[in-house]
């Protein structure tokens, strides 16, 4: 169906009013080529984000502590089958030192992210979590270490972990099985997300934009999933090919579509914590600033030691692989100010959680 600019603007108003659009209307929004609509949609998304979170931007200090992974996601540069990846694993002491350095720099959320490293037993992870939380009780600790069983998630939560990022990758089982080998299951990933919520984590899910085989209808399914699951955080970024994967020659995802999705997600889930991702900054030098202006309110600078930065390569041409953490935070603070927003030193919890990260529910 062809729509006029006026039709599109009405769709944006209805989204901003919390109306539930039809699949066809959502698909129309994603497929629009109308620049006036883009501008209006992002303005509405900013209005909603400012109503909930003001002009604040939360920083998350990201420690990419291992690139060992037992999985073979077809799109990912650190997949187990990539023999060219230079593997590394930070020691417990190195992880603690990074989080101390992050705290000194003002971070009040630390994110531990890694491949699914068989070395990461519940004992090791719980010990690391406890040690970090003992040293810095006022931070939020986020984990992003993949699929585990509910008991394991519970043990890490009991040790002090507050949040968990596990992108659902795609809400279509068929598309999921195209992107992943048969050993990985859509049902299990979704079960993990439900388990995490039940335990009490603030949960983040999300998808790549423009991943191989992705159709507009898949993105509409993703939006429907986000609407029903109601995650506290949503991480989306463009798919970017990695030269050592079978998708090396695929087209990367579009920055414009990623920005539009950020705005749509902000309007659908006004309270969500929404990062402007490194992948967005990799595809466009101003990608993260554009993400903030499209409704995002979180930035995740890298805290990993520079000696390993260049080895956590999920995709080609990743930015910020050479900068010291202090330099990253200076650079991001300046970039954020340039958008009219401000970096704040805060845990930056979802509004449904109080200052201790407790859910009132
Ligand atoms: N192992 C954990 C997991 O599975 O959630 C965390 C690490 S995983 C590498 C983090 C995210 O990177 C994935 O959820 C995926 O969406 C993203 N990613 C992987 N390869 C990518 C690529 N080629 N382009 C863009 N994003 C990618």
């Amino acid at each position: 169906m062809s729509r006029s600019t006026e039709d599109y603007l009405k769709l944006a108003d209805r989204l901003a009013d919390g109306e539930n659009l039809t699949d066809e209307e959502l698909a129309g929004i994603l497929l629009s080529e109308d620049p006036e609509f883009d501008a209006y949609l992002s303005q509405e998304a900013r209005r909603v984000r400012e109503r909930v979170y003001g002009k604040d931007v939360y920083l998350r200090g990201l420690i990419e502590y291992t690139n060992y992974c037992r999985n073979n996601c077809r799109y990912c540069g650190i997949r187990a089958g990539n023999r060219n990846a230079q593997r590394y694993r930070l020691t417990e002491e190195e992880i603690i030192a990074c989080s101390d350095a992050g705290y000194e720099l003002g971070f009040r959320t630390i994110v531990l992210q890694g491949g699914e490293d068989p070395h990461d037993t519940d004992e090791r992870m719980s010990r690391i979590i406890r040690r970090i939380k003992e040293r810095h009780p006022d931070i939020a600790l986020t984990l992003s270490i993949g699929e585990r069983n509910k008991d394991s998630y519970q043990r890490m939560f009991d040790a002090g972990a507050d949040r968990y990022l596990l992108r659902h990758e795609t809400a279509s089982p068929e598309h999921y099985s195209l992107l992943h080998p048969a050993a990985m299951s859509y049902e299990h990933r979704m079960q993990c997300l439900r388990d995490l919520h039940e335990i009490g984590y603030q949960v983040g899910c999300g998808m790549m934009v423009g991943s191989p085989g992705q159709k507009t209808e898949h993105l509409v399914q993703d939006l429907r999933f986000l609407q029903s699951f109601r995650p506290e955080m949503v991480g989306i970024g463009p798919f970017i090919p990695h030269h050592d994967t079978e998708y090396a020659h695929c087209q990367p995802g579009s920055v414009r579509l990623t920005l539009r999705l950020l705005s749509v997600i902000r309007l659908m889930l006004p309270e969500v914590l929404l990062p402007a991702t490194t992948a967005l900054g990799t595809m466009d030098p101003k990608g993260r600033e554009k993400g903030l202006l499209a409704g995002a309110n979180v930035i995740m600078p890298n805290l990993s030691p520079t000696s390993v930065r260049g080895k956590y390569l999920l995709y080609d041409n990743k930015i910020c692989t050479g900068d010291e953490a202090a330099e990253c935070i200076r650079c991001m603070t300046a970039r954020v100010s340039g958008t009219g927003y401000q970096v704040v030193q805060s845990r930056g919890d979802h509004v449904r959680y109080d200052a201790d990260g407790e859910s009132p529910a």
Side-chain angles (χ1 to χ4, degrees), residues 75-76 114 144 146 166-167 169 189 208 238-240 312 314-315:
Y75 43 82
C76 186
S144 177
L166 183 75
R167 289 187 177 181
E169 312 295 3
R189 200 147 185 104
M208 288 176 288
F239 158 75
I240 306 175
Y312 195 83
L314 313 179
Y315 46 79

Side-chain angles (χ1 to χ4, degrees), residues 157 162-163 200 202 347 349 353-359:
F157 185 77
D162 302 277
R163 309 187 190 132
Q202 295 176 56
R347 279 174 52 118
D349 284 298
Y353 288 71
D354 67 20
D356 299 320
E358 299 290 327
S359 167

Side-chain angles (χ1 to χ4, degrees), residues 66 68-69 71 73-78 112-117 144-147 164-169 184 189 206-209 235 237-242 245 247 279 312-316:
T66 176
Y68 282 90
C69 191
N71 286 331
C73 306
R74 296 190 207 283
Y75 43 82
C76 186
I78 62 167
L112 298 182
Q113 189 180 85
E116 290 191 18
D117 184 345
S144 177
I145 57 175
E147 297 178 36
Y164 206 101
L165 305 177
L166 183 75
R167 289 187 177 181
H168 64 283
E169 312 295 3
M184 294 180 71
R189 200 147 185 104
M207 63 280 184
M208 288 176 288
V209 179
F239 158 75
I240 306 175
H242 183 285
T245 64
Y247 295 144
Y312 195 83
L313 294 181
L314 313 179
Y315 46 79
D316 290 340

